[in-house]
Amino acid sequence: MSELALFDNMPQEYKDLLAQLEPDKNASGGGAKGGTNRLSIRGGVFRKVVNGQEVGELEGRSINVVIVKTSPVSRMFYEGQYVAGQTAAPSCWSADSSSGKPANEVPSDTRQSTTCFDCPQNVKGSGQGQSRACRFQQRVAVMLTDAEGRLRSNAVYQLSLPATSVFGDDKKKMGLQTYARLIDAQKAPLASLITELRFDTDSSTPKLLFKPIRILDRDELSMALEAQKDEATLKLVTLSIKPKQETSVPQLTNDKVPSPAPEKPSLFAEADDDDEEEVEEPKVKVSKKKKEAPAPDVDLASLLDEFDD
């Protein structure tokens, strides 16, 4: 398949553009104007949302996108019961879960613990079933292809991924981190590829799987590069939360705060009101140098061919 040629065989002009794309370590676990465009996966359906209002549904169980930028993995805890259609600020959160601490902006009267690792909301069973009440999520900024699979619109959408769409080691049904590491091993930025996002029909809750489709052509690559450098794109993946107003300022200690007993905690803002599958919490290593993932035995062209079944 000629369009799946290796990057080394591309014209120098193309490679110069490619070199300007930022490597996205947030996706692999290493680190639109005029309003907010967002994609929702509520109910197992891709939905377009503009300024908080749903404006349409995308047909089919899969869409093709360009992943332009990603945020660090964050986590959020909501008190009370989730009510569909209502949005509220979380009680406690961490904009970067690898820090192991709640964000500095979290009010002291709603902070659940001094650290995330010994927090009672981070214990299996503190949420629905065996899940954790404090949920992981990751924001990504994506561009949509048209019906013919071409990137022609410069609109960028925010998509919040639940933990089940981020973590996991299954290379046949890849979450974002496994997919990003595989592409990174080929020295290719995520933003240089068309990626298929498909709902996992074996999952009881909305869960996305990632698959490489093809390399961007020169015009598409220029659009992705422009979107990646746009400040509006950065805002789409930046977690900005207005804290609830503090009513009191209790002294915070290392004592664990008991979970609010009978109430069902809500999911994070962009998620669904369905129960989420439990995923193993990622291990955070402190002061240890990360080992680079061993390069696979196939090149990028072979990788794309492998998924083109």
Side-chain angles (χ1 to χ4, degrees), residues 17-66:
L17 278 174
L18 186 66
Q20 297 180 55
L21 288 175
E22 301 172 0
D24 209 325
K25 296 302 181 183
N26 289 320
S28 59
K33 300 181 179 70
T36 299
N37 293 339
R38 183 166 63 84
L39 290 180
S40 167
I41 57 173
R42 179 173 58 84
V45 177
F46 292 106
R47 307 168 191 270
K48 286 186 177 181
V49 180
V50 177
N51 292 332
Q53 298 296 319
E54 185 176 320
V55 297
E57 297 181 0
L58 302 178
E59 295 182 1
R61 303 291 294 177
S62 66
I63 57 174
N64 288 344
V65 305
V66 177

Side-chain angles (χ1 to χ4, degrees), residues 1-6 10:
M1 302 175 69
S2 58
E3 63 180 347
L4 300 183
L6 287 173
M10 297 294 180

Side-chain angles (χ1 to χ4, degrees), residues 277-294:
E277 297 174 16
E278 174 63 10
V279 296
E280 194 63 32
E281 181 176 2
K283 303 295 188 297
V284 177
K285 296 183 179 179
V286 181
S287 71
K288 286 188 179 180
K289 190 174 182 180
K290 290 185 178 178
K291 295 182 179 179
E292 294 186 3

Side-chain angles (χ1 to χ4, degrees), residues 63-262:
I63 57 174
N64 288 344
V65 305
V66 177
I67 302 173
V68 180
K69 193 177 285 289
T70 69
S71 71
V73 176
S74 60
R75 59 191 313 165
M76 297 184 188
F77 167 70
Y78 289 84
E79 283 188 284
Q81 187 167 347
Y82 175 80
V83 179
Q86 293 187 8
T87 58
S91 300
C92 191
W93 68 91
S94 175
D96 186 348
S97 62
S98 66
S99 70
K101 297 179 180 179
N104 293 331
E105 297 79 12
V106 177
S108 58
D109 65 338
T110 62
R111 189 175 297 232
Q112 300 297 300
S113 177
T114 54
T115 65
C116 297
F117 305 120
D118 61 0
C119 178
Q121 313 304 347
N122 189 38
V123 177
K124 289 184 179 181
S126 58
Q128 287 272 262
Q130 290 300 308
S131 69
R132 295 176 173 87
C134 187
R135 298 295 183 93
F136 289 100
Q137 69 158 342
Q138 187 168 18
R139 288 184 176 186
V140 298
V142 301
M143 303 174 76
L144 296 171
T145 64
D146 63 11
E148 297 176 353
R150 309 296 301 177
L151 184 63
R152 291 190 172 95
S153 170
N154 62 359
V156 183
Y157 293 83
Q158 176 195 89
L159 173 62
S160 289
L161 301 173
T164 49
S165 300
V166 176
F167 306 120
D169 298 322
D170 191 343
K171 289 183 172 57
K172 294 297 183 182
K173 303 175 74 172
M174 293 187 290
L176 176 61
Q177 286 196 353
T178 296
Y179 174 65
R181 288 168 185 157
L182 190 64
I183 300 303
D184 185 61
Q186 303 297 327
K187 309 301 181 185
L190 283 179
S192 66
L193 299 169
I194 299 290
T195 297
E196 180 192 78
L197 305 184
R198 177 178 295 276
F199 284 106
D200 184 357
T201 55
D202 293 329
S203 175
S204 59
T205 60
K207 173 183 176 182
L208 296 181
L209 306 176
F210 295 74
K211 170 185 170 182
I213 299 299
R214 65 172 174 85
I215 300 166
L216 298 183
D217 64 28
R218 185 167 53 192
D219 291 340
E220 293 171 320
L221 189 63
S222 296
M223 292 177 63
L225 177 60
E226 183 179 353
Q228 191 178 73
K229 292 183 175 181
D230 194 329
E231 290 185 3
T233 302
L234 178 60
K235 290 180 180 179
L236 288 178
V237 297
T238 301
L239 187 63
S240 179
I241 296 175
K242 185 177 181 181
K244 296 178 181 179
Q245 187 175 358
E246 269 189 68
T247 55
S248 60
V249 186
Q251 185 67 30
L252 183 65
T253 68
N254 286 324
D255 295 336
K256 295 181 179 180
V257 180
S259 303

